[in-house]
Amino acid sequence: MSHVTVLILPGWQGSGPDHWQMRWAQQHGYTVVEQDDWLRPRRGDWLARLDEVVIDTPGDGADIVLAAHSLGCIQVAAWAAVSRHTARVRGALLVAPGDVERTDLREQMPGWAPIARQRLPFAATLVGSRNDPYCSHERARALAGDWGARWVDLGAAGHINADSALGDWPQGHALLQELVNPLAG
């Protein structure tokens, strides 16, 4: 089996050092896809940056797994709808998607609506929360269905970020590992 590269896709404003994404990057050597502007995310720039990183990642098969949070989930869906490089991706862990079609978020992040709703061309698991302030439980579950993603209900876990007190979030990392090595289970 070829080496798998995990790309971390933070959401709007990035992920701080206590966020599970940054903990995973530090502990496991995963690559964080950096953006030029975390505060004013421009969809085209974010999609181009992800495409650039995927193209530049060494390998020749489906040897990339994405670990996305919030706006990063919306980025994955939008990127998958337009990129010619989706065959490089083995799977995606999508955590707490931000509902950029909501009026308050649409105003803060113009250009991200509508959300790309096509089935993803790779395996995906979407983890949602029953009390996420940025996306209702029902909406997250509907996105999982649209994207063809396995649905995981984390219960009342807020936005599934550093404020959720998940620490290293071993349950989430186990879900990621199922995508990294789907035959191990």
Side-chain angles (χ1 to χ4, degrees), residues 44-128:
D45 292 349
W46 280 40
L47 300 187
R49 178 68 181 134
L50 177 54
D51 220 38
E52 178 181 278
V53 172
V54 167
I55 291 166
D56 290 346
T57 298
D60 57 4
D63 48 13
I64 294 171
V65 173
L66 308 173
H69 180 255
S70 195
L71 186 60
C73 300
I74 308 307
Q75 175 189 16
V76 168
W79 173 80
V82 299
S83 178
R84 289 179 282 153
H85 305 286
T86 59
R88 291 289 316 277
V89 175
R90 178 178 298 185
L93 179 65
L94 308 168
V95 181
D99 186 356
V100 294
E101 292 178 354
R102 263 180 28 184
T103 302
D104 59 333
L105 295 181
R106 187 180 316 121
E107 290 171 358
Q108 293 178 42
M109 290 170 274
W112 284 90
I115 296 171
R117 305 288 286 245
Q118 83 291 345
R119 185 176 185 86
L120 296 173
F122 39 76
T125 300
L126 191 151
V127 182

Side-chain angles (χ1 to χ4, degrees), residues 136-152:
S136 72
H137 179 259
E138 296 76 19
R139 180 74 152 164
R141 189 169 189 145
L143 288 172
D146 291 341
W147 293 336
R150 172 182 162 209
W151 168 252
V152 176

